[in-house]
Amino acid sequence: MLDGGELDVLTGDYLAELTMLILGRDRMRDPSLGYAKTFLRQLEGTLGTALDRGVRIVTNAGGLNPAGLAAAIGALADRLGLAARIGYVEGDALQRPDALTANAYLGAFGIAACLDGGADVVVTGRVTDASLVVGPAIARYGWGRDDLDALAGATVAGHLIECGAQVTGGNFSFFTELPDGGHRPGFPIAEVHPDGSSVITKHAGTGGAVTVETVTAQLLYEVGGPEYLGPDVVTRLDSVTLHADGPDRVRVSGVRGTPPPATLKVGVNNLGGFRNSMTFVLCGLDIEAKAALVRGQLEEAVGKEGLEVVLARTDHPDAADTETASALLHVHLRDSDKSRAGRAFSAAAVELALASYPGCTLTTLPGDATPYGVFTADAVPQDSVAHVAVLPGGERVPIAPPPTTCLQGPLVQQDPITGGPSLPAAASRRGVLGELVGARSGDKGGDANLGVWAGTDAGYDWLRAWLTVGRLADLLPETAPLRVERYELPNLRAVNFVIRGLLGQGVAASTRFDPQAKALGELLRSRIVDLPADLATGPDRPADSDGEAV
């Protein structure tokens, strides 16, 4: 990014929910840690280039210890013979004696204050991911708290580039249509304008692509309803308009913002206990009976409590080789007692090798249990958090909470169809859903989101009427017993689902085969359904080249 072309600010997002748990465990071992050490290694070879080119760096790699990382960067700069002005933002860490970590999601005005104070590098703890972009935009254009549309537009830009190459073709449903087949997508750039509108692009000569559809995919990632809540502004995702703006350029405009909530989200991590897993290979005949035998034997050996058994029917009938003839039996044990979840469990599984079902074999070796975390979210009043920007000279600047906030009501699931004529009966054909739609899915604590979009107006008319909560339950049966919220985003030709509780107590505690729900969208796209015979598929799906709005 530093070498490839023009750049004003380089951002780095290091803090997934799971990362906070990892940093919390680091800090337990060494109180001087709690920040992303990989950032320091990356900075060693790039800080001089950034300073020479006047590129400012903004990162949340400070994690649980932004002051510690700021000091470490200062020491690195001294060792390299560089003069770097370093600011940092603190106040997100909350005192919760019963929690491993508890951090409020701060906004962007502390970052802006550090940049206004002359910082070359700004380090934060837990801020919203988009704040890494919103903060530099505030500093550049002098936005205030009441510039809600501009703040909302920059929030969308920040959300789009926070996951790096995911907006330039990474993890893209139609990767086979990318110019390089998705082999090495370049990192994205957000050109943010004074009114908050932006253009998403990338350096010339890098791989992947920036199209209306790659941008749509990332815009749907890990979001809920049309109101995207943040500490500085509530961004109306249903107001976002995307236009093609030339090769590898997509203009993002029309974004509207409303006052933020009076509270800040707080992410809380706790150690939930210990876990262990073993996987049995069940080959050939009597798969269900073999699985039942293993379950019964293990229950007798270690007890039923905390034992979870999942049979994956990966076997094929009349297969010619062992792998395609085999199913996998995943056995998990979670317990507060490390010894029970450790060797006592894994050794009991291995000891079945000569005393269980025919062909008994395992893919895992016996091992000790590992700790797992539980993620929960709550809220605190904005004015109860001491948001502070620490400038390069050491001056501490308190960041006042927003003067105007708005009470946010509970999210309400939309009706399956919120208006418009019903679709007439039409000829259909059998095919995979992914011929007509793309999808992007992900995790938020114990919940999952699944965004599905169509590439044309006609495709969206069909998708909107067809993909109801009930049909989602038919296609993805594991969602049927759960609370599922459905939201429509017509400007994006998209429908977004929030599936509550799919991931249990959060990613670190989930024993689901896809613990972060990253593959949920591709699972949905692989289902064979009745498709309208008159809807186009293939590379002619998108409408980027003519600049049509999506």
Side-chain angles (χ1 to χ4, degrees):
M1 295 297 288
L2 289 170
D3 294 335
E6 184 179 357
L7 201 65
D8 296 304
V9 180
L10 181 62
T11 65
D13 174 20
Y14 288 73
L15 297 185
E17 291 167 352
L18 180 60
T19 311
M20 299 299 281
L21 173 68
I22 295 169
L23 296 179
R25 291 175 56 191
D26 283 350
R27 190 177 59 177
M28 288 178 65
R29 292 190 293 268
D30 183 347
S32 70
L33 296 178
Y35 55 80
K37 298 184 292 294
T38 52
F39 173 75
L40 273 180
R41 292 198 293 271
Q42 293 169 320
L43 196 63
E44 183 161 3
T46 55
L47 179 58
T49 302
L51 293 172
D52 288 344
R53 299 190 177 187
V55 177
R56 302 167 100 175
I57 297 172
V58 179
T59 179
N60 60 12
L64 303 175
N65 188 4
L69 179 56
I73 295 171
L76 172 65
D78 290 344
R79 179 164 58 82
L80 296 175
L82 301 172
R85 295 166 295 181
I86 304 158
Y88 62 94
V89 178
E90 64 181 17
D92 60 295
L94 305 182
Q95 296 300 316
R96 299 279 181 92
D98 58 342
L100 176 63
T101 70
N103 296 81
Y105 287 67
L106 301 180
F109 281 86
I111 294 171
C114 287
L115 293 170
D116 288 339
D120 300 308
V121 181
V122 180
V123 173
T124 78
R126 186 30 117 184
V127 296
T128 65
D129 300 339
S131 291
L132 301 176
V133 169
V134 180
I138 293 170
R140 177 65 175 267
Y141 299 121
W143 296 336
R145 290 284 190 178
D146 57 348
D147 291 311
L148 295 174
D149 289 347
L151 292 170
T155 296
V156 171
H159 173 66
L160 287 172
I161 70 170
E162 68 173 90
C163 289
Q166 273 195 181
V167 75
T168 56
N171 301 342
F172 182 53
S173 290
F174 304 105
F175 69 95
T176 58
E177 299 173 13
L178 297 173
D180 63 349
H183 283 274
R184 191 175 173 81
F187 278 83
I189 297 169
E191 299 173 353
V192 183
H193 298 287
D195 65 351
S197 64
S198 64
V199 171
I200 305 301
T201 185
K202 62 187 183 71
H203 284 322
T206 57
V210 180
T211 71
V212 166
E213 286 207 283
T214 67
V215 173
T216 297
Q218 179 57 23
L219 192 53
L220 294 173
Y221 184 61
E222 296 183 346
V223 298
E227 294 184 335
Y228 188 69
L229 273 59
D232 299 320
V233 65
V234 173
T235 302
R236 295 292 315 190
L237 296 180
D238 51 0
S239 68
V240 179
T241 301
L242 307 178
H243 288 85
D245 193 51
D248 290 320
R249 293 177 64 85
V250 171
R251 182 169 296 279
V252 184
S253 61
V255 186
R256 296 292 175 259
T258 59
T263 58
L264 296 175
K265 176 182 175 181
V266 178
V268 181
N269 278 294
N270 278 298
L271 293 177
F274 299 88
R275 62 188 291 181
N276 207 344
S277 299
M278 300 293 286
T279 297
F280 292 82
V281 178
L282 315 178
C283 185
L285 306 177
D286 304 317
I287 296 295
E288 300 283 349
K290 290 172 180 174
L293 176 58
V294 172
R295 176 192 286 270
Q297 289 177 311
L298 285 176
E299 287 178 350
E300 291 174 3
V302 298
K304 294 182 179 181
E305 185 177 355
L307 194 68
E308 180 182 352
V309 181
V310 180
L311 176 60
R313 292 304 300 262
T314 52
D315 53 306
H316 299 268
D318 194 27
D321 59 76
T322 303
E323 187 168 2
T324 54
S326 296
L328 298 176
L329 187 69
H330 305 291
V331 186
H332 312 278
L333 182 63
R334 289 183 290 194
D335 199 279
S336 59
D337 182 354
K338 183 178 181 180
S339 61
R340 177 173 178 260
R343 290 280 177 172
F345 163 68
S346 60
V350 172
E351 288 163 5
L352 297 180
L354 302 180
S356 190
Y357 61 90
C360 181
T361 187
L362 293 92
T363 65
T364 43
L365 297 173
D368 288 329
T370 57
Y372 70 89
V374 174
F375 177 87
T376 57
D378 61 17
V380 295
Q382 290 227 35
D383 59 9
S384 71
V385 174
H387 186 176
V388 175
V390 183
L391 306 188
E395 180 186 357
R396 299 176 62 84
V397 178
I399 305 301
T404 302
T405 59
C406 184
L407 181 66
Q408 304 296 319
L411 294 173
V412 178
Q413 176 185 325
Q414 296 176 341
D415 294 332
I417 300 177
T418 58
S422 59
L423 294 176
S428 64
R429 61 181 176 81
R430 296 292 281 175
V432 293
L433 180 58
E435 291 183 39
L436 294 186
V437 302
R440 177 64 62 79
S441 56
D443 62 285
K444 278 294 181 186
D447 303 330
N449 102 287
L450 170 57
V452 187
W453 80 89
T456 65
D457 290 339
Y460 177 63
D461 288 342
W462 172 79
L463 173 67
R464 175 173 170 265
W466 183 83
L467 191 53
T468 63
V469 171
R471 183 159 275 120
L472 184 73
D474 292 338
L475 297 173
L476 302 178
E478 65 180 322
T479 69
L482 303 174
R483 175 186 164 198
V484 178
E485 298 162 7
R486 180 186 184 278
Y487 304 99
E488 296 177 3
L489 297 167
N491 280 14
L492 304 176
R493 296 178 182 143
V495 177
N496 189 50
F497 296 91
V498 179
I499 305 160
R500 302 292 182 185
L502 181 70
L503 307 180
Q505 294 178 299
V507 170
S510 177
T511 56
R512 191 173 176 273
F513 183 71
D514 174 24
Q516 292 182 282
K518 304 300 187 186
L520 191 64
E522 289 304 291
L523 173 61
L524 178 68
R525 294 182 67 243
S526 73
R527 297 307 309 268
I528 298 175
V529 301
D530 289 324
L531 300 174
D534 59 344
L535 289 186
T537 62
D540 294 333
R541 234 177 338 85
D544 275 17
S545 59
D546 60 8
E548 284 296 312
V550 173

